[in-house]
Amino acid sequence: MTVEGSSTARFEPVRAALSAHLQSGEELGASIAIDVDGVLEVDIWGGHGDAARTVPWRKDTLVGLWSTTKTLSSLAALILVDRGNLDLCRPVAEYWPEFAAQGKQHIEVRHVLAHTSGLSGWQQPFSMDDLYDWPTASARLAGQAPWWEPGSASGYHMQTQGQLVGELVRRVSGRTLTDFVDTEIAKPLEADVQIGAREADWPRIAELVPPSQLPQGLADLDPERIFTKTLLGSPARDEHVDTPQWRRAELGAVNGYGNARGLARALSVISRRGKVNGLRLLSSDTVDKIFDVQADGVDLFLGIPVRWGMGYALADPRTMPHMPTGTVCFWVGRGGSIVMMDLDRRITFAYTMNRLGDGILGSERTHSYIKHVYEALGSSN
């Protein structure tokens, strides 16, 4: 199957890997981009945008990002930190007074960005209608007690982080997270990314195809475990995706849209220490804050070791064996999408796809592409 787009000679193995995955059927449709210090050395795509294989994946195809959306929301928060509007070490309640309820007056902004606030899910009952209603979803979190001692450990805020970060953005900027990402990140950087999809863009959104093996039921899980409470308290599921209500919603943890090129362009601001195409969105000092370790251990929800910095996970061979150690941060989405920022090499790698793979942090395909990227870099040194 033909892979379209351009790639430099040293990254030919990445192109070959995408072609092989498309030929085998492991990939349905996908895009990969690699920005090297402002030069887009890889910008490739191929396959189909629908399960029936009637719509080709085009250069401007968008796809739902699931949790890779969080990389955009975290960048929005860091821009406000850089401007002095948000302080990572100040209580959330200073910006959102209602949040102080139920003993949360000491939870700091950094705890939200590092998944250590204790609010990894909504207290039941909580429905999709509640999730779609911004004031209701925010008020419910503001009135909720944390499920563990804030700051003591991470518990991945699978769907709540978008609400928490988004409410902070609203409180300090007076704008929605969707608007902030659009006007302060996407448009200035000419990055094809958005949170919630503009209706005019719906025709170019690829259909997401869930894995063939779906998770087992929850009946036998301990209802008091953080894992169970988080899963039950995170109502969005595969069947909600691609509906008009989902596409219109502002869900800063899970319903971003983009492609590899757009993600690489937006997040290269981190890899390039805050300045892209003559625009400075972050100071070097603010970028350094990303690598201030906030939690390092087995995540209470994910069940694997994760080293959390400020808004992003930090490279760790325990969880991402093909990523090098050093000044590298990243996050992934359900099914395998990823954007990774390597500041030591000033490289941004992004991958998006519509056939969701298995795996907690990335799929086998995700890891194979990362492996090929660093093998190519090693052979070119």
Side-chain angles (χ1 to χ4, degrees):
M1 186 173 292
T2 303
V3 173
E4 299 187 68
S6 61
S7 56
T8 56
R10 64 171 171 170
F11 288 116
E12 181 58 32
V14 179
R15 187 187 193 101
L18 175 58
S19 179
H21 285 132
L22 287 167
Q23 290 286 355
S24 70
E26 294 174 81
E27 293 282 20
L28 177 59
S31 63
I32 294 175
I34 303 173
D35 178 287
V36 183
D37 201 12
V39 177
L40 196 59
E41 288 206 26
V42 176
D43 180 16
I44 56 177
W45 61 90
H48 295 88
D50 64 331
R53 299 178 182 270
T54 62
V55 178
W57 187 293
R58 297 184 173 88
K59 181 177 182 177
D60 69 345
T61 292
L62 300 175
V63 69
L65 301 173
W66 275 111
S67 285
T68 306
T69 307
K70 293 179 176 72
T71 63
L72 299 169
S73 298
S74 293
L75 180 56
L78 289 170
I79 290 171
L80 289 169
V81 168
D82 197 73
R83 294 175 181 174
N85 301 122
L86 266 181
D87 187 325
L88 292 167
C89 295
R90 302 302 298 175
V92 172
E94 287 196 8
Y95 309 101
W96 179 3
E98 303 95 318
F99 189 82
Q102 298 285 344
K104 300 196 303 301
Q105 64 272 19
H106 301 303
I107 294 177
E108 299 173 9
V109 173
R110 64 189 178 95
H111 297 141
V112 168
L113 286 174
H115 302 267
T116 65
S117 78
L119 297 170
S120 58
W122 278 273
Q123 196 73 45
Q124 290 295 293
F126 187 80
S127 68
M128 278 303 295
D129 286 340
D130 295 328
L131 181 62
Y132 287 140
D133 185 79
W134 188 277
T136 296
S138 291
R140 288 288 300 276
L141 285 174
Q144 185 173 315
W147 289 341
W148 67 90
E149 179 61 32
S152 64
S154 72
Y156 182 47
H157 294 19
M158 181 166 58
Q159 293 174 21
T160 57
Q161 197 197 35
Q163 196 74 33
L164 294 166
V165 171
E167 189 66 36
L168 283 167
V169 169
R170 285 177 177 238
R171 297 282 173 145
V172 303
S173 74
R175 294 146 70 188
T176 66
L177 181 62
T178 294
D179 179 60
F180 193 93
V181 167
D182 183 51
T183 58
E184 302 292 340
I185 298 172
K187 285 179 179 173
L189 299 181
E190 298 181 336
D192 197 0
V193 293
Q194 51 193 291
I195 293 180
R198 291 183 289 270
E199 194 161 347
D201 290 323
W202 289 8
R204 62 189 181 106
I205 296 174
E207 176 188 359
L208 284 176
V209 179
S212 56
Q213 295 284 331
L214 293 176
Q216 298 289 324
L218 302 177
D220 57 346
L221 296 179
D222 180 353
E224 295 306 312
R225 282 182 58 204
I226 297 300
F227 174 83
T228 311
K229 293 168 74 171
T230 302
L231 199 58
L232 292 174
S234 304
R237 300 287 183 265
D238 289 331
E239 61 264 27
H240 301 122
V241 177
D242 294 332
T243 64
Q245 198 171 13
W246 174 275
R247 287 182 175 177
R248 291 189 182 101
E250 180 182 5
L251 307 175
V254 291
N255 86 325
Y257 292 84
N259 49 41
R261 183 189 318 105
L263 282 172
R265 186 164 292 171
L267 276 301
S268 66
V269 72
I270 292 175
S271 311
R272 300 175 68 194
R273 290 200 163 272
K275 189 174 182 180
V276 173
N277 299 338
L279 299 173
R280 180 163 289 284
L281 269 65
L282 301 173
S283 67
S284 186
D285 286 346
T286 299
V287 173
D288 285 340
K289 293 180 192 300
I290 294 169
F291 298 91
D292 183 1
V293 177
Q294 299 296 303
D296 187 0
V298 175
D299 185 273
L300 297 176
F301 174 71
L302 296 172
I304 58 175
V306 183
R307 181 176 294 131
W308 285 108
M310 210 71 74
Y312 302 87
L314 309 181
D316 186 332
R318 296 173 298 177
T319 51
M320 302 298 282
H322 299 298
M323 273 188 198
T325 56
T327 318
V328 182
C329 63
F330 71 98
W331 196 239
V332 299
R334 168 160 165 70
S337 64
I338 187 172
V339 60
M340 177 192 73
M341 291 71 77
D342 182 335
L343 281 68
D344 296 330
R345 298 162 185 82
R346 294 175 72 87
I347 286 174
T348 310
F349 162 74
Y351 157 60
T352 66
M353 75 297 128
N354 61 343
R355 184 185 296 285
L356 306 186
D358 296 315
I360 297 174
L361 293 189
S363 67
E364 289 185 10
R365 283 171 275 151
T366 314
H367 295 290
S368 75
Y369 296 134
I370 295 171
K371 179 173 180 286
H372 286 300
V373 167
Y374 282 102
E375 285 178 348
L377 289 170
S379 64
S380 64
N381 287 340

